[in-house]
Coordinates of all heavy atoms in Angstrom, one line a residue:
A420 N 103.5 82.7 95.0 CA 104.1 81.7 95.8 C 103.2 81.3 97.0 O 102.6 82.2 97.6 CB 105.5 82.2 96.3
R421 N 103.1 80.0 97.3 CA 102.4 79.6 98.4 C 103.3 78.8 99.3 O 104.0 77.9 98.9 CB 101.2 78.7 98.0 CG 100.4 78.1 99.2 CD 99.2 77.3 98.7 NE 98.2 78.1 98.1 CZ 97.3 78.8 98.8 NH1 97.2 78.7 100.1 NH2 96.4 79.5 98.1
V422 N 103.4 79.2 100.6 CA 104.2 78.5 101.6 C 103.4 77.3 101.9 O 102.3 77.3 102.4 CB 104.5 79.4 102.8 CG1 105.2 78.6 103.9 CG2 105.2 80.6 102.5
V423 N 104.0 76.1 101.6 CA 103.3 74.8 101.8 C 103.9 73.9 102.9 O 103.3 72.9 103.2 CB 103.3 74.0 100.5 CG1 102.5 74.7 99.4 CG2 104.7 73.7 99.9
G424 N 104.9 74.4 103.5 CA 105.5 73.6 104.6 C 106.6 74.4 105.3 O 107.1 75.4 104.8
G425 N 107.1 73.8 106.4 CA 108.2 74.4 107.0 C 108.1 74.4 108.5 O 107.1 73.9 109.1
G426 N 109.1 74.9 109.2 CA 109.1 75.0 110.6 C 110.5 75.1 111.2 O 111.5 75.2 110.4
V427 N 110.6 75.1 112.4 CA 111.8 75.2 113.2 C 111.9 74.0 114.1 O 111.0 73.8 114.9 CB 111.9 76.6 114.0 CG1 113.2 76.6 114.8 CG2 111.8 77.7 113.1
P428 N 113.0 73.2 114.0 CA 113.1 72.1 114.9 C 113.1 72.6 116.4 O 113.6 73.6 116.7 CB 114.4 71.5 114.6 CG 114.7 71.9 113.2 CD 114.1 73.2 113.0
E429 N 112.5 71.8 117.3 CA 112.3 72.2 118.6 C 113.6 72.7 119.3 O 113.6 73.7 120.0 CB 111.7 71.1 119.5 CG 111.2 71.5 120.8 CD 110.5 70.5 121.6 OE1 109.8 69.6 120.9 OE2 110.5 70.5 122.8
R430 N 114.7 72.0 119.0 CA 116.0 72.4 119.7 C 116.5 73.8 119.2 O 117.4 74.3 119.8 CB 117.0 71.3 119.4 CG 117.5 71.2 118.0 CD 118.3 70.0 117.8 NE 118.6 69.7 116.4 CZ 117.8 69.2 115.5 NH1 116.6 68.8 115.9 NH2 118.2 69.0 114.3
H431 N 115.9 74.3 118.1 CA 116.3 75.6 117.6 C 115.3 76.7 117.8 O 115.5 77.8 117.3 CB 116.7 75.5 116.1 CG 117.8 74.6 115.8 ND1 119.1 74.7 116.4 CD2 117.9 73.5 115.0 CE1 119.9 73.7 116.0 NE2 119.2 73.0 115.2
L432 N 114.2 76.4 118.5 CA 113.2 77.5 118.8 C 113.7 78.6 119.7 O 114.6 78.4 120.5 CB 112.0 76.8 119.5 CG 111.1 75.9 118.6 CD1 110.1 75.2 119.5 CD2 110.4 76.7 117.5
G433 N 113.2 79.8 119.4 CA 113.5 80.9 120.3 C 114.8 81.7 120.0 O 115.2 82.5 120.7
H434 N 115.4 81.3 118.8 CA 116.7 82.0 118.4 C 116.5 83.0 117.2 O 117.4 83.5 116.8 CB 117.7 81.0 118.1 CG 118.1 80.1 119.3 ND1 118.8 80.5 120.4 CD2 117.7 78.8 119.6 CE1 118.9 79.5 121.2 NE2 118.3 78.5 120.8
G435 N 115.2 83.0 116.7 CA 115.0 83.9 115.6 C 115.3 83.3 114.2 O 115.3 84.0 113.2
H436 N 115.6 82.0 114.2 CA 116.0 81.4 112.9 C 114.8 81.4 111.9 O 115.0 81.6 110.8 CB 116.4 79.9 113.2 CG 117.6 79.8 114.0 ND1 118.8 80.5 113.8 CD2 117.8 79.0 115.1 CE1 119.6 80.2 114.7 NE2 119.1 79.3 115.5
G437 N 113.6 81.1 112.4 CA 112.4 81.1 111.5 C 112.2 82.5 110.9 O 111.9 82.6 109.7
R438 N 112.2 83.5 111.7 CA 112.0 84.9 111.3 C 113.2 85.3 110.3 O 112.9 85.9 109.2 CB 112.1 85.8 112.5 CG 111.8 87.3 112.1 CD 111.7 88.2 113.4 NE 110.3 87.9 113.8 CZ 110.0 87.4 115.0 NH1 110.9 86.8 115.8 NH2 108.7 87.2 115.4
R439 N 114.4 84.9 110.6 CA 115.5 85.3 109.7 C 115.3 84.6 108.3 O 115.5 85.2 107.3 CB 116.8 84.9 110.3 CG 118.0 85.2 109.4 CD 119.3 84.9 110.1 NE 119.5 85.6 111.3 CZ 119.8 85.0 112.5 NH1 120.0 83.8 112.6 NH2 119.9 85.8 113.6
L440 N 115.0 83.3 108.3 CA 114.8 82.6 107.1 C 113.6 83.1 106.3 O 113.7 83.3 105.1 CB 114.6 81.1 107.3 CG 114.4 80.2 106.1 CD1 115.6 80.3 105.1 CD2 114.2 78.8 106.5
A441 N 112.5 83.4 107.0 CA 111.3 83.9 106.3 C 111.6 85.2 105.6 O 111.2 85.4 104.5 CB 110.1 84.0 107.3
A442 N 112.3 86.1 106.3 CA 112.6 87.4 105.6 C 113.5 87.1 104.4 O 113.3 87.8 103.3 CB 113.4 88.3 106.6
Q443 N 114.5 86.2 104.5 CA 115.3 85.9 103.3 C 114.6 85.3 102.2 O 114.8 85.5 101.0 CB 116.5 85.0 103.8 CG 117.5 85.8 104.7 CD 118.6 84.8 105.1 OE1 118.7 83.7 104.7 NE2 119.5 85.3 106.0
V444 N 113.6 84.4 102.6 CA 112.8 83.7 101.5 C 111.9 84.7 100.8 O 111.8 84.7 99.6 CB 112.0 82.6 102.1 CG1 110.9 82.1 101.2 CG2 112.9 81.4 102.6
M445 N 111.3 85.6 101.6 CA 110.5 86.7 100.9 C 111.3 87.6 100.0 O 110.9 87.9 98.9 CB 109.8 87.5 101.9 CG 108.8 86.8 102.9 SD 107.6 85.8 102.0 CE 108.1 84.1 102.6
A446 N 112.5 87.9 100.4 CA 113.4 88.7 99.5 C 113.8 87.9 98.3 O 113.8 88.4 97.2 CB 114.7 89.1 100.3
A447 N 114.0 86.6 98.4 CA 114.4 85.7 97.3 C 113.2 85.6 96.3 O 113.3 85.7 95.1 CB 114.8 84.3 97.8
Q448 N 112.0 85.5 96.9 CA 110.8 85.4 96.0 C 110.6 86.7 95.2 O 110.3 86.6 94.0 CB 109.5 85.1 96.9 CG 109.5 83.7 97.5 CD 109.6 82.7 96.5 OE1 108.9 82.5 95.6 NE2 110.6 81.8 96.7
R449 N 110.8 87.8 95.9 CA 110.7 89.1 95.2 C 111.7 89.1 94.0 O 111.4 89.5 92.9 CB 110.9 90.3 96.2 CG 110.7 91.6 95.5 CD 110.9 92.7 96.5 NE 110.0 92.7 97.7 CZ 110.5 92.4 98.9 NH1 111.8 92.3 99.2 NH2 109.6 92.4 99.9
A450 N 112.9 88.7 94.3 CA 114.0 88.8 93.3 C 113.7 87.9 92.2 O 114.2 88.1 91.0 CB 115.4 88.4 94.0
E451 N 113.0 86.8 92.4 CA 112.7 85.8 91.4 C 111.4 86.2 90.6 O 110.9 85.3 89.8 CB 112.6 84.4 92.0 CG 113.9 83.9 92.5 CD 113.8 82.5 93.1 OE1 112.8 81.8 92.9 OE2 114.7 82.1 93.8
G452 N 110.8 87.3 90.9 CA 109.6 87.8 90.2 C 108.3 87.5 90.8 O 107.3 87.8 90.2
C453 N 108.3 87.0 92.0 CA 107.1 86.8 92.7 C 106.5 88.1 93.2 O 107.2 89.0 93.6 CB 107.3 85.9 93.9 SG 105.8 85.4 94.8
R454 N 105.2 88.2 93.1 CA 104.5 89.4 93.5 C 103.6 89.2 94.7 O 103.2 90.2 95.4 CB 103.8 90.1 92.4 CG 104.7 90.5 91.3 CD 105.6 91.7 91.7 NE 106.7 91.8 90.8 CZ 108.0 91.6 91.2 NH1 108.3 91.3 92.3 NH2 108.9 91.8 90.3
T455 N 103.2 88.0 94.9 CA 102.2 87.6 96.0 C 102.7 86.3 96.7 O 103.0 85.3 96.0 CB 100.8 87.4 95.5 OG1 100.4 88.6 94.8 CG2 99.8 87.2 96.6
V456 N 102.7 86.3 98.0 CA 103.0 85.1 98.8 C 101.7 84.8 99.6 O 101.2 85.7 100.4 CB 104.2 85.3 99.7 CG1 104.5 84.0 100.5 CG2 105.4 85.6 98.8
L457 N 101.3 83.6 99.6 CA 100.1 83.1 100.4 C 100.6 82.2 101.4 O 101.6 81.4 101.2 CB 99.1 82.5 99.5 CG 98.6 83.3 98.4 CD1 97.6 82.5 97.5 CD2 97.8 84.5 99.0
M458 N 100.0 82.2 102.6 CA 100.4 81.3 103.7 C 99.2 81.0 104.6 O 98.4 81.8 104.8 CB 101.5 82.1 104.5 CG 102.1 81.3 105.6 SD 103.5 82.3 106.3 CE 104.2 81.1 107.3
A459 N 99.2 79.7 105.0 CA 98.1 79.3 105.9 C 98.3 80.0 107.3 O 99.4 80.2 107.7 CB 98.1 77.8 106.1
E460 N 97.2 80.4 107.8 CA 97.2 81.1 109.1 C 97.7 80.1 110.2 O 97.5 78.9 110.1 CB 95.8 81.5 109.5 CG 95.8 82.3 110.8 CD 94.4 82.8 111.1 OE1 93.4 82.4 110.4 OE2 94.2 83.6 112.0
T461 N 98.5 80.6 111.1 CA 99.0 79.7 112.2 C 98.4 80.1 113.5 O 98.0 81.3 113.7 CB 100.5 79.9 112.3 OG1 101.0 79.1 113.4 CG2 101.0 81.3 112.5
T462 N 98.2 79.2 114.4 CA 97.7 79.4 115.7 C 98.8 79.7 116.7 O 98.6 80.1 117.8 CB 96.8 78.2 116.2 OG1 97.7 77.1 116.2 CG2 95.7 78.1 115.3
E463 N 100.1 79.5 116.3 CA 101.2 79.7 117.2 C 101.4 81.2 117.3 O 101.6 81.9 116.3 CB 102.5 79.0 116.6 CG 102.5 77.5 116.5 CD 102.4 76.9 117.8 OE1 103.1 77.4 118.8 OE2 101.7 75.9 118.0
P464 N 101.5 81.7 118.6 CA 101.7 83.2 118.7 C 103.0 83.7 118.0 O 102.9 84.8 117.4 CB 101.8 83.3 120.2 CG 101.0 82.1 120.8 CD 101.3 81.0 119.8
A465 N 104.1 83.0 118.2 CA 105.3 83.5 117.6 C 105.2 83.5 116.0 O 105.6 84.4 115.4 CB 106.5 82.6 118.0
G466 N 104.5 82.5 115.5 CA 104.4 82.4 114.0 C 103.5 83.6 113.5 O 103.7 84.2 112.5
R467 N 102.4 83.8 114.3 CA 101.5 84.9 113.9 C 102.2 86.2 114.0 O 102.1 87.1 113.1 CB 100.3 84.9 114.8 CG 99.2 85.8 114.3 CD 98.0 85.7 115.2 NE 96.9 86.2 114.5 CZ 95.9 85.5 114.0 NH1 95.8 84.2 114.3 NH2 94.9 86.1 113.3
R468 N 103.0 86.5 115.0 CA 103.8 87.7 115.2 C 104.7 87.9 114.0 O 104.9 89.0 113.4 CB 104.6 87.8 116.5 CG 103.8 88.2 117.7 CD 104.7 88.5 118.9 NE 105.6 87.4 119.2 CZ 105.3 86.4 120.0 NH1 104.1 86.2 120.5 NH2 106.2 85.4 120.2
M469 N 105.4 86.8 113.6 CA 106.3 86.8 112.5 C 105.6 87.3 111.2 O 106.1 88.1 110.4 CB 107.0 85.5 112.3 CG 108.0 85.5 111.1 SD 108.6 83.8 110.7 CE 107.2 83.0 110.1
M470 N 104.4 86.6 111.0 CA 103.6 86.9 109.8 C 103.3 88.4 109.7 O 103.4 89.1 108.7 CB 102.4 86.1 109.7 CG 102.7 84.6 109.4 SD 101.2 83.5 109.6 CE 100.2 84.1 108.2

Side-chain angles (χ1 to χ4, degrees):
R421 178 176 291 275
V422 176
V423 294
V427 177
E429 190 171 335
R430 68 188 172 283
H431 296 304
L432 289 172
H434 299 284
H436 299 310
R438 181 172 282 111
R439 181 177 299 131
L440 179 60
Q443 290 178 5
V444 169
M445 296 311 117
Q448 292 303 304
R449 184 180 303 114
E451 292 178 18
C453 182
R454 296 295 163 243
T455 304
V456 179
L457 302 174
M458 186 172 186
E460 183 174 13
T461 179
T462 58
E463 295 292 324
R467 190 176 199 114
R468 277 193 308 275
M469 179 188 71
M470 290 171 69

